[in-house]
Amino acid sequence: MKHSEIISSVLSPLADKPQQAYMSNLLQVADILQWILNQTGPASVKMASFSISEEFLRRLFFIKKSGLIKDIDIILDFKATNKTLILWPFIEQTVENCYLASSHAKILLVEGDNWTVSVVMSQNLTRGNRFESGFISTSPEVFSTLSGQVEYVIKNQSVPFHEVFERTVRKN
């Protein structure tokens, strides 16, 4: 089965179904992001997750290289700092801003010229073969609420990761 057929077996096009939920072991967060961007065109992306993996970053790098991502900001949890430090050179090449906060949220926000898409999901920014669930919405109200809450965390509850990384490198 082709990848596009796998996705369409789980999700309907956003124009046909602006609110949809899923539970599947066939999709990864990067699949969902790519699927959304194929419909919205180039967009700004914000994500929140407990942790991130090299496999996800690799997919993100190629999606961004394709021109579908204008810019991307990510919030990761403080408890995943050691893993984030190891991945920092790759994160820095792929992500405009990376923040650390006490966050277990798994949110994906995509803002294109004509669309806003929100995804609340169970999966971290990693690759796995477990059943994961999520809810996808093109509602401007849902996007506005989540976007405002993400911005609040960034401005009031987070540390820019590049500052943590710079201090760590200076000490060594």
Side-chain angles (χ1 to χ4, degrees):
M1 188 181 268
K2 290 182 185 178
H3 201 67
S4 60
E5 292 172 352
I6 293 170
I7 293 172
S8 64
S9 74
V10 178
L11 300 172
S12 298
L14 293 170
D16 296 344
K17 199 168 182 184
Q19 317 285 338
Q20 54 191 303
Y22 66 90
M23 182 174 167
S24 174
N25 64 349
L26 301 175
L27 302 178
Q28 306 296 320
V29 176
D31 298 326
I32 294 166
L33 176 60
Q34 177 82 57
W35 174 80
I36 291 169
L37 291 168
N38 286 341
Q39 296 171 79
T40 64
S44 294
V45 176
K46 288 190 186 323
M47 294 186 208
S49 180
F50 178 78
S51 68
I52 196 165
S53 72
E54 180 273 330
E55 288 132 337
F56 176 81
L57 278 168
R58 188 175 344 120
R59 289 277 309 274
L60 192 60
F61 177 84
F62 286 111
I63 295 169
K64 187 169 183 187
K65 189 176 179 181
S66 77
L68 285 173
I69 296 176
K70 293 179 183 178
D71 53 77
I72 184 164
D73 294 346
I74 293 180
I75 299 170
L76 299 171
D77 192 270
F78 283 117
K79 290 183 180 181
T81 303
N82 286 339
K83 184 177 180 183
T84 307
L85 273 171
I86 292 166
L87 293 172
W88 180 247
F90 201 1
I91 292 171
E92 188 176 36
Q93 291 178 34
T94 309
V95 174
E96 273 68 31
N97 297 294
C98 181
Y99 303 93
L100 296 177
S102 293
S103 174
H104 203 256
K106 284 107 178 155
I107 296 172
L108 168 60
L109 300 172
V110 178
E111 185 172 20
D113 291 339
N114 300 312
W115 291 77
T116 55
V117 183
S118 308
V119 183
V120 178
M121 58 205 160
S122 64
Q123 186 177 11
N124 286 305
L125 302 179
T126 57
R127 175 155 179 81
N129 296 316
R130 294 178 171 190
F131 278 91
E132 299 285 356
S133 60
F135 177 75
I136 301 170
S137 174
T138 60
S139 162
E141 294 82 11
V142 170
F143 183 88
S144 178
T145 298
L146 289 172
S147 183
Q149 292 167 349
V150 166
E151 284 301 317
Y152 175 83
V153 171
I154 288 172
K155 290 179 182 170
N156 300 295
Q157 301 292 319
S158 74
V159 174
F161 188 74
H162 66 275
E163 291 178 16
V164 173
F165 183 76
E166 185 179 312
R167 288 184 199 135
T168 303
V169 170
R170 262 194 262 137
K171 286 182 181 178
N172 293 331

